Amino acid sequence: MSESDTTDAGDGTQLRTPIVAVLGHVDHGKTSLLDEVRGSAVTAGEAGAITQHIGATAVPLSTISDIAGSLVNPDDFDLPGLLFIDTPGHHSFSTLRSRGGALADIAILVVDVNDGFQPQTHEALDILKRTQTPFIVAANKIDTIPGWNPNPDTPVQATLERQSDRAESRLNEKLYELIGELSDEGFSADMYWRVQNFRENIGVVPVSAETGEGIPDLLTVLMGLSQRYLKSEMSIDTEGPGIGTVLEVKEERGFGATIDTVLYDGTLRADDTIVVGGKNEPIITDVRALLQPRPLAEIRTEKQFEQVDIVRAAAGVKIAAPDLDDAMAGAPVRVVRDRNLEEVVAEVRAELADIEVVTEEQGVVVKADTLGSLEAIAAALGEAEIPIVRAEVGDVAPRDVAVASTADEPKHAAILAFNVDILDDAAREIEQGNVDLFTDDVIYQLIEEYEEHVAAIKDAQQEQILDKIQRPCRFRILEDHTFRQSNPAVVGVEVLSGTLKRNSRVVKWAGNEPERIGELKSLQDAGEDVDSARAGESVAASIDGPTVGRQIEEGDELWTELPEKHAKILEQELADEIPADELEALRMYLDKRRKRDPFWGK
């Protein structure tokens, strides 16, 4: 660990490196941007100064100053540089926490200038809003603007001066579209050089990860923002017991389960006892080894890692220790050292309790790759009013299927899996059982897929209810269409509104009182038996009970009788599911009934 990752702030404390997360939609260039920052450092003859940590890259101030040239005067800064968390494909890392806040002190949201906002861009913004993490927008791929004339590694304004008017106006058009999209999300934004107050406005930095254009500006703005707004938060006691967050739990040959950790406070030593957040209980264990990647020059040696004795914040480190199998990505790591063990365990418990998701008696099962993403999904499900019965970090296992299969309602027999694997046993049980599995690596798409599934179940259930429910119908006996007077009466009828179904009871209104006159036994259309007839159709109806000329006459208006319970369901639950003419028949029937009893069917 390079001593340059902290600078002396006097009074026994030191300023640590701010932690920078790089977020954005897949393919928008997050990884290329980090590679370009590393590449620029190598080109600036500073290869030795950049240190590769586990899951992070430290770029010291001297290197930033070399890359940024005249934009950065190192004398203006006290902070030692920047620590970039490497998050390829893991936008969920942006929700990793430190003491209830985001693990990252500051973030870069990478957006492809041609592609604009995409699903994961919106998701990253939601996370930044929720965690209130300050950020800047890197408008990437400016070199792909038609007619662009590349000027490698040049600051933005210098390269803009060398562009044709057409290329510059095309770029501006795209940049203002991005600023508009940020405004739609509730952020005021502008080109970074026009922003006066970065607390109130988001700075947009046009860059190219391909040519290095704008990279000097990106590093300058990050340093400037960190120095201006984060300096007080970067003050740490470097000799104090270390505090960090688990990035990933990984099996390593010769070491077993290890945790890739970002240390953001204090120090971690090779002989420390640590407490780590676990799936069931906090894990108390002794560090066996602290591992860092070998320097770039030595990477050809057989061993990927070298052991170090001490690591100071901020840094990424791999911790090898016994009993880490149940450690969770996103969980806290705390060094015990000269503190009371029970106190440290209580602190870890309290941090985990902060993240715990509220679960209900009934609901869906949720599995996610990190505590942060679990929290983000729980928040999104809460907004969508979808209850959760169980929420955990880790792969989908048979016990998750068992929990989901005990749901009382079909819509809750579901597992929502975010960025995790499905274990073979669990996959087999899902295939054989009645549990639905939803997987996605974009939170809102995962929830949308589930909501569509719920809507389909609801439609199917309503179809079934509609089939069993008596439907309203108003129909008329046609003149000169009596085929049989009684036992049963067979008459030609025209359906005026609603759906006429066989086996319905038939009523005739006498004032505000329906008088039952018989039962509709069968319907025929052109000599063929039919189950129902719709508004506008004429059919032959066989009605058991009345005699034509006594209880009924040609020209009479008749109705199917509607039980009160059915009328209530139709009006309150299924009004959107039935045709307009049937709804009209329902309203007429209810009006007649309610003239006598205002609360009928309510």
Side-chain angles (χ1 to χ4, degrees):
M1 157 95 201
S2 143
E3 286 299 328
S4 65
D5 284 354
T6 50
T7 52
D8 198 349
D11 67 25
T13 63
Q14 287 188 306
L15 293 174
R16 72 160 170 82
T17 325
I19 298 167
V20 185
V22 187
L23 324 179
H25 190 70
V26 64
D27 298 334
H28 280 198
K30 292 179 301 202
T31 311
S32 325
L33 200 67
L34 269 174
D35 288 345
E36 181 56 34
V37 169
R38 292 189 198 113
S40 306
V42 173
T43 323
E46 288 281 348
I50 270 206
T51 49
Q52 272 300 105
H53 295 204
I54 297 289
T57 303
V59 185
L61 177 60
S62 58
T63 307
I64 290 168
S65 173
D66 281 351
I67 297 170
S70 61
L71 297 181
V72 169
N73 176 356
D75 298 343
D76 296 341
F77 296 94
D78 309 327
L79 292 172
L82 298 166
L83 183 75
F84 290 89
I85 303 183
D86 299 349
T87 59
H90 281 275
H91 67 293
S92 52
F93 279 176
S94 56
T95 62
L96 287 172
R97 306 156 52 101
S98 64
R99 292 197 195 113
L103 172 63
D105 302 303
I106 191 164
I108 305 169
L109 179 64
V110 183
V111 185
D112 180 330
V113 79
N114 294 299
D115 224 1
F117 277 33
Q118 295 297 319
Q120 284 170 322
T121 322
H122 290 287
E123 194 154 286
L125 273 174
D126 285 346
I127 289 160
L128 292 168
K129 272 184 211 168
R130 220 183 54 252
T131 53
Q132 295 187 310
T133 306
F135 69 98
I136 58 174
V137 172
N140 191 23
K141 306 196 184 181
I142 59 173
D143 60 295
T144 61
I145 294 286
W148 188 261
N149 166 32
N151 298 280
D153 307 322
T154 311
V156 168
Q157 283 166 299
T159 192
L160 276 176
E161 282 167 16
R162 299 180 204 167
Q163 303 304 324
S164 66
D165 290 349
R166 255 184 101 191
E168 191 177 350
S169 70
R170 273 176 175 158
L171 175 62
N172 284 335
E173 203 178 298
K174 294 290 187 188
L175 291 170
Y176 282 111
E177 277 174 24
L178 278 189
I179 287 168
E181 291 191 280
L182 282 161
S183 168
D184 293 344
E185 289 273 357
F187 294 100
S188 167
D190 206 342
M191 302 312 169
Y192 87 86
W193 54 87
R194 294 201 193 108
V195 173
Q196 296 295 312
N197 182 340
F198 280 90
R199 273 200 193 283
E200 289 170 11
N201 295 292
I202 304 297
V204 176
V205 186
V207 298
S208 164
E210 192 61 39
T211 64
E213 289 165 286
I215 298 291
D217 310 67
L218 192 71
L219 294 171
T220 304
V221 177
L222 283 171
M223 276 309 294
L225 274 176
S226 303
Q227 176 76 18
R228 181 117 182 236
Y229 299 116
L230 301 174
K231 189 175 161 184
S232 59
E233 294 165 40
M234 296 303 102
S235 183
I236 59 165
D237 171 9
T238 47
E239 294 311 310
I243 305 172
T245 298
V246 178
L247 281 183
E248 268 189 281
V249 183
K250 281 186 184 163
E251 283 289 324
E252 290 293 347
R253 236 172 85 201
F255 293 103
T258 66
I259 47 174
D260 292 358
T261 304
V262 170
L263 190 72
Y264 59 83
D265 200 344
T267 57
L268 175 61
R269 299 183 189 141
D271 58 355
D272 274 325
T273 296
I274 55 171
V275 180
V276 183
K279 285 179 185 167
N280 303 312
E281 280 290 304
I283 300 159
I284 302 159
T285 186
D286 294 325
V287 175
R288 265 208 312 238
L290 299 177
L291 306 167
Q292 293 275 29
R294 289 185 173 275
L296 296 172
E298 299 174 32
I299 210 80
R300 285 187 214 88
T301 59
E302 285 210 356
K303 287 199 172 127
Q304 212 178 331
F305 308 111
E306 59 181 1
Q307 293 201 19
V308 291
D309 294 331
I310 188 165
V311 178
R312 287 189 174 79
V317 61
K318 182 182 282 291
I319 302 173
D323 306 323
L324 290 175
D325 296 301
D326 278 349
M328 281 191 292
V333 178
R334 285 177 177 260
V335 170
V336 179
R337 208 163 296 154
D338 43 17
R339 301 184 57 207
N340 175 296
L341 176 62
E342 285 313 308
E343 255 174 54
V344 180
V345 170
E347 280 173 14
V348 168
R349 260 210 189 95
E351 255 189 81
L352 288 172
D354 271 355
I355 307 170
E356 268 181 12
V357 175
V358 179
T359 54
E360 313 282 343
E361 288 292 311
Q362 288 290 322
V364 296
V365 174
V366 178
K367 296 302 290 264
D369 57 346
T370 70
L371 279 171
S373 43
L374 195 64
E375 195 177 30
I377 295 168
L381 286 171
E383 279 168 29
E385 297 184 353
I386 297 165
I388 300 169
V389 71
R390 175 201 196 110
E392 285 183 346
V393 169
D395 295 333
V396 176
R399 62 199 174 120
D400 301 313
V401 185
V403 170
S405 65
T406 61
D408 285 352
E409 293 184 58
K411 67 178 180 184
H412 291 150
I415 300 170
L416 277 62
F418 177 78
N419 249 348
V420 292
D421 292 330
I422 317 301
L423 299 179
D424 291 346
D425 291 0
R428 275 195 295 276
E429 286 181 24
I430 288 167
E431 264 178 45
Q432 290 159 8
N434 59 351
V435 171
D436 294 290
L437 174 71
F438 300 88
T439 60
D440 210 300
D441 56 4
V442 178
I443 291 172
Y444 89 80
Q445 285 179 352
L446 183 67
I447 292 169
E448 264 181 15
E449 285 162 33
Y450 173 70
E451 285 181 322
E452 282 165 16
H453 165 72
V454 171
I457 289 177
K458 190 178 173 190
D459 287 349
Q461 285 172 337
Q462 288 186 337
E463 282 285 317
Q464 277 184 320
I465 293 169
L466 271 173
D467 275 350
K468 288 176 186 157
I469 237 165
Q470 181 61 57
R471 310 279 278 273
C473 182
R474 180 169 70 98
F475 60 104
R476 184 174 77 86
I477 301 175
L478 295 167
E479 281 84 355
D480 302 327
H481 276 75
T482 301
F483 305 116
R484 186 169 170 176
Q485 272 190 299
S486 62
N487 288 328
V490 180
V491 289
V493 298
E494 179 193 4
V495 182
L496 301 172
S497 56
T499 304
L500 186 61
K501 285 188 162 185
R502 59 193 186 85
N503 298 330
S504 306
R505 285 176 173 162
V506 178
V507 295
K508 185 174 170 181
W509 288 91
N512 294 325
E513 194 62 49
E515 182 188 320
R516 188 184 294 170
I517 54 163
E519 190 159 334
L520 185 75
K521 284 295 185 190
S522 65
L523 295 171
Q524 281 199 337
D525 184 13
E528 294 289 320
D529 282 339
V530 289
D531 287 335
S532 62
R534 287 281 298 117
E537 294 177 354
S538 296
V539 288
S542 138
I543 307 170
D544 204 7
T547 301
V548 180
R550 286 194 190 164
Q551 292 85 356
I552 54 174
E553 302 282 352
E554 288 184 355
D556 275 355
E557 184 178 284
L558 302 177
W559 288 73
T560 52
E561 185 179 28
L562 206 50
E564 187 173 12
K565 189 178 172 188
H566 291 205
K568 186 176 180 177
I569 292 171
L570 281 166
E571 185 184 35
Q572 294 177 11
E573 293 176 35
L574 301 172
D576 293 341
E577 307 297 320
I578 59 178
D581 62 285
E582 198 167 297
L583 196 56
E584 180 199 8
L586 173 68
R587 299 228 161 103
M588 286 170 77
Y589 194 94
L590 289 170
D591 286 347
K592 286 174 183 285
R593 273 290 196 176
R594 285 172 186 168
K595 276 184 184 142
R596 180 147 184 211
D597 173 2
F599 296 104
W600 195 88
K602 284 190 173 176

